């Protein structure tokens, strides 16, 4: 699926994802903070499983494999997909093959 100009990208299971190169992840007692140095957006991750998924995504060929490695089956995936979709829409997560200059 290709995004139309001006359309927000969508999280896809069959894509490989990573943090945008301008995003820093800082562990916190409640989960983690994500800060995008380009957009100055701040995101709070209050679920340790989401934090673990965000860290693990670039280490797998696609998101489906990352979910499987985390022990999340398709029946329990919806809340995590929603959280990762929000990170994609806010440009915190980008496709691993994406040119970081075009994603900033």
């Amino acid at each position: 699926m290709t995004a139309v100009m001006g359309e927000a990208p969508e999280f896809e299971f069959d894509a490989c994802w990573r943090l945008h190169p301008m995003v820093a992840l800082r562990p916190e007692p409640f989960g983690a903070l994500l800060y995008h140095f380009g957009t100055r957006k701040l995101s709070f991750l209050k679920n340790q499983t989401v934090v673990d998924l965000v860290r693990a995504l670039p280490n797998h060929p696609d998101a489906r494999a990352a979910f499987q490695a985390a022990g999340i089956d398709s029946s329990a995936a919806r809340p995590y997909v929603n959280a990762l979709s929000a990170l994609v829409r806010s440009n915190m997560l980008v496709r691993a093959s994406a040119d970081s200059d075009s994603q900033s």
Side-chain angles (χ1 to χ4, degrees):
M1 181 177 144
T2 305
V4 176
M5 186 67 135
E7 182 180 313
E10 295 182 27
F11 181 79
E12 296 177 20
F13 268 109
D14 296 323
C16 184
W17 298 92
R18 63 175 171 83
L19 285 175
H20 187 286
M22 294 185 77
V23 171
L25 184 146
R26 185 174 87 186
E28 294 289 342
F30 58 80
L33 286 174
L34 293 177
Y35 181 74
H36 194 300
F37 288 93
T39 63
R40 297 184 179 184
K41 288 183 182 179
L42 182 65
S43 291
F44 296 88
L45 302 182
K46 297 178 184 176
N47 180 299
Q48 190 59 49
T49 302
V50 174
V51 175
D52 294 342
L53 277 171
V54 167
R55 286 185 174 143
L57 284 170
N59 301 324
H60 295 278
D62 56 33
R64 190 175 315 278
F67 273 64
Q68 289 172 345
I72 303 168
D73 64 24
S74 59
S75 65
R78 179 56 41 203
Y80 303 109
V81 170
N82 291 341
L84 296 177
S85 294
L87 294 176
V88 170
R89 286 190 303 274
S90 66
N91 205 27
M92 296 285 187
L93 279 180
V94 295
R95 287 178 180 268
S97 60
D99 180 336
S100 62
D101 291 337
S102 67
Q103 298 290 324
S104 52

